Each structure stands twice: as C-alpha cells, then as structure tokens.
Amino acid sequence: MDFYAEKHTYNLIEFKTKKRALNFSQRDYCADLLSALSSHPSKTEAYGLSLVYQAKVNLLSAEVEGYEALLRWTHKDVGYINPETCLEIAESFGLSRALQMWVLHKACFDMYQHPFMQCAVNVDPNLLCMDMAREIMGILSDYKISPSRLQLEITEHNAPYSMGSLAAVVSWLRKQGVQIALDDFGTGHATIAYLAKVDLDYVKIDKSLVQGIADSSFMKQELMAIMDLISVSGARIICEGVESHEDALFLKRIGVEQVQGYFFHKPAKLEDLLNFRMSSQQTA
C-alpha cells in the first residue's frame, strides 16, 4: 500500500518553513523525525522510529485480549530517546499531529499484516477532533480493518480544551465501532468530568494506584472506591502496572478482569511478540 505518503505529507509542510530558525543540533533531530514521518510505516524503522507492543491480559482466563502500541525512537547518533522527549520534540516544532497519525498508521499497518491483533493507541484529546476522527476511519478502511479492533486511549493528564467537543467526537467514533479508553485514571485533570460527560468503553487505572497494592490496606480501599465510581459509568476496568504475583492475585479477587504490566508481559517488538505467540500455541 502506498497511500500513506500522499495523504500525510501536507501535515509536515508548515514544519519545513521553520527549520532555518533552529540550531544545527535541533535541525538534525527534527530532520530525522521528519524523514521518518514522511515515510510509509513499513519503512520507518530505518530512521529509528518504531512501535513496541505490551499485552493486555484477562485475569480470569489468562488469555491475551489485546496490545497497547508504545512509541520508541532510537536516533542514529545519540541512541535511545525516551518517548516523552520524542513527544516534546514533535510538539516544539509543530509535528505532534503528524507523529500521532504516524503511530495510528503504523499500528494499523501491523494489524493489517496480523489479523489476530487488537491494538490500543494513545491519543492526545487536544488533537482529537472530527477531522482526525474521519481520518482514523479512513485509515481503517484503507487497511480493511474492523473498527472494533482499534482502541483509542485518551491520555487523561492532557486536559481537553473543550470537554463537550471531545465528548461529541468520542461518541461519533464509538458509533463507528472504535473502542474508547481513558488512560492514567486517577492522576490527571477532570477525572470525574470524563466519567460524567464522555462515553467510555474502558478506564485504565494508573499504575501508581496499583503497584504494591497487596501490601497496603489504604491502597486496597482506595482502589475499590475508585472501581465503584467507574462502575456507575458502565465502563470496564483495566489496571496497569501489575508487577507482582501478589498484586495480580488481589486484583483478581476483587473482580478486575483485565490487567497490563511487567509481571505478565514486557513491551516487545512485533517479531518477538509473534515468536512468543507461536511458541505458546505449539505448547498448548
């Protein structure tokens, strides 16, 4: 498929006009990021930009129910650049939307190649508008992917400029079949407002409210109160940051169905994920 570059080069035009104002080091970073974002998702690893995937596991069945796409950038000169820095570079030079769409394209390209995958992609609520929503549906259509295989995770610590506008876009996407999750619940802005005003399929409880919960009576009571609050909205619950057997057992005991964390699966490259899946099927 070669529709990617034709549809998305326009997102980068404004950035090109700003390059002269940057110092040499910044030009190097941004030129490489620009090259990656201008390329088809199947070829961008040549520029060090890639996705890794972390499994989401059903606690009751122990089955993998989906994967979260996580951005990685290994720069040719300086090596690994953490995702937060990558996002900051993109935001500084007007590339946030282009980077967002690249991640969506790359995740959908991987789902197109591997029909077993259901994938979650983080989305900045301040970028999520009707134009982007229609573009997302266009990507799914181009790759012939059922919308139900895509989950958009709204990052809660980025407070939306308009909760009403976001709610309308989310409602439209859900009607098209896309799943919506609220990420990092309990750490950011307008937590209660999201539950009251935005239709959600899932709420992901932040790792800071989960890690070490088996050893803390306060954390146990806190989490159960949060779960009661979420249940009123009708959304399902995901607990992230599960890193011990004891925490997993407690979460299972109180009725948490889906979890994510290093205890079950670390983020992995797609080829490693596929090898693990094949070996699991052979030993089952």
Side-chain angles (χ1 to χ4, degrees):
M1 294 187 177
D2 58 3
F3 52 79
Y4 176 81
E6 179 182 350
K7 287 192 175 184
H8 295 278
T9 300
Y10 74 90
N11 289 327
L12 311 177
I13 293 174
E14 182 181 356
F15 165 72
K16 293 179 181 178
T17 66
K18 299 178 181 178
K19 283 175 62 177
R20 294 188 185 90
L22 309 180
N23 65 44
F24 181 77
S25 175
Q26 289 171 321
R27 284 203 304 269
D28 283 349
Y29 278 114
C30 297
D32 290 338
L33 186 56
L34 177 63
S35 296
L37 297 178
S38 300
S39 303
H40 188 277
S42 64
K43 302 176 181 178
T44 45
E45 292 205 19
Y47 301 97
L49 202 63
S50 64
L51 295 180
V52 294
Y53 293 94
Q54 187 174 30
K56 294 186 288 186
V57 178
N58 186 301
L59 265 182
L60 303 179
S61 67
E63 297 290 327
V64 172
E65 293 189 330
Y67 301 87
E68 180 182 1
L70 302 168
L71 180 66
R72 295 291 184 267
W73 189 19
T74 304
H75 191 273
K76 59 183 175 61
D77 295 323
V78 300
Y80 176 75
I81 297 174
N82 69 57
E84 291 77 13
T85 301
C86 181
L87 293 173
E88 288 171 5
I89 292 171
E91 183 176 2
S92 297
F93 305 113
L95 290 173
S96 293
R97 189 180 190 281
L99 181 59
Q100 180 79 83
M101 298 314 298
W102 178 86
V103 172
L104 282 159
H105 260 280
K106 174 60 174 167
C108 287
F109 178 76
D110 290 344
M111 285 194 288
Y112 167 75
Q113 291 193 306
H114 305 288
F116 72 88
M117 289 185 69
Q118 291 187 318
C119 190
V121 175
N122 287 278
V123 176
D124 185 336
N126 287 314
L127 294 175
L128 189 57
C129 60
M130 281 306 304
D131 284 346
M132 178 179 281
R134 293 189 180 96
E135 193 169 348
I136 291 170
M137 295 308 300
I139 295 170
L140 292 170
S141 177
D142 286 334
Y143 285 113
K144 297 180 174 58
I145 295 171
S146 169
S148 63
R149 293 175 60 195
L150 176 65
Q151 184 178 108
L152 300 180
E153 294 189 1
I154 301 170
T155 307
E156 188 204 357
H157 56 255
N158 292 326
Y161 64 89
S162 171
M163 188 71 73
S165 297
L166 176 65
V169 176
V170 164
S171 178
W172 185 83
L173 282 166
R174 291 185 75 236
K175 288 177 181 177
Q176 312 310 308
V178 175
Q179 297 184 52
I180 305 294
L182 178 61
D183 198 13
D184 299 332
F185 186 83
T187 63
H189 300 280
T191 298
I192 304 301
Y194 270 102
L195 292 180
K197 298 180 181 179
V198 179
D199 292 330
L200 301 166
D201 296 289
Y202 289 89
V203 173
K204 293 185 72 174
I205 297 176
D206 186 72
K207 62 184 180 182
S208 64
L209 303 174
V210 173
Q211 290 176 350
I213 194 168
D215 300 320
S216 171
S217 297
F218 175 80
M219 289 182 66
K220 290 176 181 178
Q221 295 299 320
E222 181 183 42
L223 179 62
M224 288 189 286
I226 290 172
M227 290 175 60
D228 287 341
L229 181 64
I230 294 171
S231 68
V232 176
S233 73
R236 295 176 65 186
I237 293 171
I238 306 172
C239 284
E240 56 184 346
V242 181
E243 296 187 357
S244 74
H245 179 63
E246 292 75 17
D247 289 348
L249 283 178
F250 173 75
L251 295 173
K252 183 177 181 180
R253 189 161 66 246
I254 65 173
V256 174
E257 291 185 15
Q258 196 174 97
V259 294
Q260 188 175 340
Y262 277 38
F263 176 71
F264 295 96
H265 294 276
K266 295 181 180 180
K269 293 181 179 180
L270 182 59
E271 55 266 30
D272 295 333
L273 182 155
L274 295 173
N275 290 337
F276 176 81
R277 186 171 185 268
M278 288 178 63
S279 62
S280 297
Q281 290 176 335
Q282 290 171 356
T283 58

